[in-house]
Amino acid sequence: MKRKKLERVLFVYPNSGALRIPLAVAILSAILRETGVDVRVFDTTFFKIEESLDYTLMEKRGVVKKTRLDELMGDLPEVNISRQMRAAVEDFDPDLILVSVMERHFWLFDILVRACKGARPDVRIIAGGILPTLKPEMILDHPCVDYVAHGEGEDFVRNLVRCFGNPRGFDNLPNLLRRDRSGRTRANAPGPLADMNAIPFQDWSDFDRRQLLKPYDGNVWIGGSFELSRGCFKSCTFCVAPQLRCAYGPETAKRYHRTKDPARAVAEIKEKKERLNLTFLAMCDTDFLFGVPYETLAEFCRLYKAEIGIPWIIQGSAESFSERKLAAIVDAGCVSASIGVESGSPRMRREVIKKRVSLGRIKKTFDLCRDYNFRTTANYMIGLPYETEADVRQTIALNRQINPPSVAITYFTPFLGTELYDLCVAEGFYDGFDPHQNVYKYSPLKMPQLSAPRIEELIRIFMDEFESFKSDIHNLPPEMVAQNNRLVDQVYGPGGEQESWPKPLGRPGPDARTGFSDCHP
């Protein structure tokens, strides 16, 4: 049924392998509901689509500690995903379908949008996210996609609601790309970057409660993801950040990194913690300590310690750490950081990935963190373009020098829109876009000096070497761990809410959601 104003929006979240509530979908759902739009989310996470979760793959490879995650997840149903998608569209009868697209799940996106159009050929589909922003032509080439939303979505969906009923309303909608009748791409001018303090709290109400399961240091916690800042000014060649930063033009790119008011960030965390019994959380800023003024960081830490008081983790880079920043976050209960080391070869860091921080600076950061009993995970990529076995051996040697409590080793995988993707294709190392690639499964490059089987062997050598001297840090009080485990058992264990999966999180108040029909995953 066609309506004169936007009343119903269906979000489609193609996902498998990873547990996470997507920040963008949760924020945009909140914005739409604020304007009175009825929103539903079709989340494929809890259908049996891939063999196992990413974390389970890492467990099998010995990269992370074994947990009860699979047990707590329960058995996932094997279903006809296309039929489930069609049923969801027919049941909800949306005015508009918004689809979040990641490169890794493009194959699943393809199945889902075809099912949407099969159920409702007249419904308009808008694709957004990192991949549509970096490669809009590729997405517009899909026969079931009507429009691409380019860049951040907060102001885009607000404008979308206002212009929906106007026959020509999409013609000038900022950040929208479309094809005209001649097949030419029409790109509307980008709107402003989102004001971090005008962004509403995330709306998790349509997501299954199992999305809050967070493995950490051998236990499974109840946690969510939040942001204090957004944007990155670095130029790492394996990352999409440089291209995303330039999507708004050179002048806007200078203001790309933004920080939220600490009081507002803590208020959102507090609301979620108190309502959903969170015991753990992750700040998902690209580099939490980078670019945030110390005074802002210190205020966030003061408020967090006073009002939240549960363990939290961050991700970052060695060069963003200083002793006073580390002291502030440790005092506020931050227990761990994932730090991108990537390679121990000066040549690879300088010439290939363009992370010019010195190896001495890296060692200093890891030594400092160990002095503060702060758990770190050193992140590495093996199988970089031009990498030799000697380079990998340098990485293994550096890892021994910095002595991290834990490591995360992935196969280098070139992503669309990055400098290294173009280089790998040009050099013949990579055949091009592969929608089934996974950084945890195999090396996708074909290089004469370092074969994929040898990369696999070197990763095993790396892990065996690490296990020979590994000295982990366990910085959570045993009573806190025990209390969390009891709560997890109550909610997710036998006799708990696991007995009635799926279990949407619901909204606070008397109108709390109870689910999305019988076909909601």
Side-chain angles (χ1 to χ4, degrees):
M1 178 190 299
K2 289 189 176 181
R3 301 176 179 90
K4 292 183 178 180
K5 68 174 184 176
L6 188 59
E7 296 180 10
R8 296 180 185 178
V9 170
L10 175 62
F11 273 104
V12 178
Y13 176 44
N15 182 51
S16 66
L19 289 180
R20 56 171 173 257
I21 293 178
L23 195 70
V25 174
I27 290 171
L28 301 186
S29 294
I31 292 172
L32 287 169
R33 283 193 168 115
E34 283 182 347
T35 66
V37 175
D38 190 7
V39 178
R40 297 290 187 273
V41 177
F42 186 85
D43 175 5
T44 66
T45 303
F46 299 100
F47 292 136
K48 189 172 180 59
I49 297 173
E50 297 197 62
E51 286 184 14
S52 58
L53 293 170
D54 291 346
Y55 193 87
T56 306
L57 285 174
M58 291 190 287
E59 285 181 345
K60 291 177 179 177
R61 290 176 54 213
V63 177
V64 295
K65 296 178 182 177
K66 289 190 70 64
T67 68
R68 297 188 299 147
L69 183 61
D70 279 347
E71 170 196 335
L72 295 169
M73 284 275 292
D75 294 330
L76 303 183
E78 295 188 27
V79 300
N80 182 315
I81 192 70
S82 180
R83 187 177 302 159
Q84 292 286 320
M85 184 74 260
R86 288 178 66 109
V89 174
E90 291 166 356
D91 177 71
F92 185 50
D93 188 27
D95 303 316
L96 194 65
I97 295 175
L98 304 181
V99 189
S100 175
V101 191
M102 291 181 63
E103 181 173 345
R104 171 183 168 180
H105 294 124
F106 183 84
W107 64 273
L108 184 54
F109 156 81
D110 175 60
I111 293 171
L112 295 174
V113 294
R114 289 180 187 276
C116 289
K117 283 292 189 180
R120 280 277 311 279
D122 63 316
V123 71
R124 288 182 283 184
I125 295 178
I126 302 177
I130 291 176
L131 183 58
T133 295
L134 297 179
K135 296 293 179 181
E137 298 281 355
M138 170 184 171
I139 305 302
L140 284 173
D141 281 342
H142 196 288
C144 296
V145 173
D146 299 290
Y147 307 97
V148 158
H150 183 264
E152 296 180 344
E154 286 86 355
D155 287 338
F156 174 81
V157 296
R158 290 188 178 100
N159 291 325
L160 182 64
V161 173
R162 286 194 287 267
C163 76
F164 183 80
N166 184 341
R168 300 295 301 274
F170 282 16
D171 288 358
N172 298 303
L173 178 60
N175 294 65
L176 190 78
L177 287 88
R178 66 198 187 284
R179 289 267 168 80
D180 62 19
R181 292 180 179 178
S182 68
R184 291 180 300 177
T185 299
R186 299 293 186 182
N188 295 347
L193 293 169
D195 177 351
M196 294 289 285
N197 293 313
I199 297 173
F201 294 174
Q202 299 173 67
D203 186 337
W204 293 351
S205 58
D206 278 284
F207 291 96
D208 191 299
R209 186 175 288 275
R210 286 170 289 182
Q211 288 283 21
L212 300 184
L213 290 170
K214 297 290 179 262
Y216 173 73
D217 195 19
N219 292 284
V220 180
W221 301 74
I222 305 173
S225 297
F226 302 87
E227 62 179 352
L228 176 64
S229 66
R230 187 182 292 184
C232 180
F233 283 128
K234 298 176 185 176
S235 299
C236 304
T237 56
F238 58 85
C239 183
V240 297
Q243 285 68 34
L244 291 176
R245 185 171 66 242
C246 296
Y248 285 82
E251 288 305 312
T252 304
K254 297 175 184 177
R255 306 188 300 275
Y256 189 58
H257 186 273
R258 291 143 289 154
T259 303
K260 189 180 295 186
D261 181 86
R264 182 162 181 80
V266 170
E268 178 178 14
I269 296 169
K270 185 176 181 180
E271 185 273 325
K272 294 290 192 293
K273 178 210 169 187
E274 293 179 348
R275 185 164 61 85
L276 298 170
N277 292 318
L278 302 186
T279 60
F280 195 84
L281 66 90
M283 298 304 295
C284 62
D285 309 42
T286 303
D287 187 340
F288 184 77
L289 298 178
F290 175 80
V292 177
Y294 175 75
E295 293 72 19
T296 301
L297 176 68
E299 178 65 4
F300 173 83
C301 290
R302 183 188 70 79
L303 292 170
Y304 188 97
K305 181 178 181 181
E307 300 186 32
I308 309 300
I310 59 175
W312 52 296
I313 60 176
I314 62 172
Q315 57 188 8
S317 58
E319 64 269 30
S320 65
F321 276 76
S322 68
E323 184 162 5
R324 71 171 183 167
K325 286 182 178 179
L326 180 60
I329 62 174
V330 169
D331 183 60
C334 187
V335 294
S336 181
S338 293
I339 299 177
V341 179
E342 319 309 354
S343 174
S345 163
R347 179 180 74 91
M348 298 305 295
R349 297 180 62 80
R350 181 180 62 253
E351 298 177 12
V352 178
I353 63 176
K354 297 181 182 176
K355 289 190 74 165
R356 294 180 173 85
V357 57
S358 71
L359 300 184
R361 181 71 176 87
I362 294 171
K363 187 175 188 308
K364 181 178 178 181
T365 290
F366 279 88
D367 288 346
L368 178 65
C369 290
R370 193 168 280 278
D371 289 344
Y372 272 77
N373 198 40
F374 184 72
R375 192 170 190 263
T376 53
T377 296
N379 294 342
Y380 298 101
M381 295 183 293
I382 305 297
L384 289 156
Y386 307 123
E387 191 168 36
T388 65
E389 183 163 332
D391 291 314
V392 178
R393 297 282 184 181
Q394 285 184 302
T395 299
I396 295 172
L398 174 69
N399 188 63
R400 179 178 279 272
Q401 292 176 44
I402 65 177
N403 189 25
S406 65
V407 300
I409 306 170
T410 59
Y411 300 98
F412 166 74
T413 302
F415 291 109
L416 281 164
T418 65
E419 185 176 331
L420 285 191
Y421 178 94
D422 295 338
L423 181 147
C424 289
V425 171
E427 291 285 350
F429 298 155
Y430 188 55
D431 293 334
F433 174 63
D434 176 4
H436 294 279
Q437 65 190 13
N438 187 319
V439 298
Y440 304 109
K441 289 184 177 179
Y442 59 88
S443 174
L445 299 194
K446 301 171 184 176
M447 299 185 292
Q449 82 287 355
L450 192 62
S451 69
R454 186 54 181 162
I455 289 170
E456 179 68 37
E457 291 171 356
L458 286 169
I459 288 178
R460 286 199 296 269
I461 292 170
F462 193 158
M463 286 306 305
D464 289 344
E465 151 80 4
F466 177 59
E467 289 297 326
S468 72
F469 67 86
K470 180 180 177 180
S471 176
D472 207 340
I473 289 175
H474 308 285
N475 51 7
L476 288 170
E479 60 273 16
M480 179 184 286
V481 175
Q483 182 180 8
N484 167 76
N485 291 342
R486 286 193 296 270
L487 181 59
V488 169
D489 281 337
Q490 290 172 13
V491 177
Y492 297 94
E497 294 188 7
Q498 189 185 52
E499 301 298 320
S500 58
W501 297 132
K503 188 72 175 182
L505 289 162
R507 294 199 297 277
D511 63 339
R513 287 289 310 277
T514 57
F516 177 21
S517 77
D518 293 335
C519 64
H520 190 282

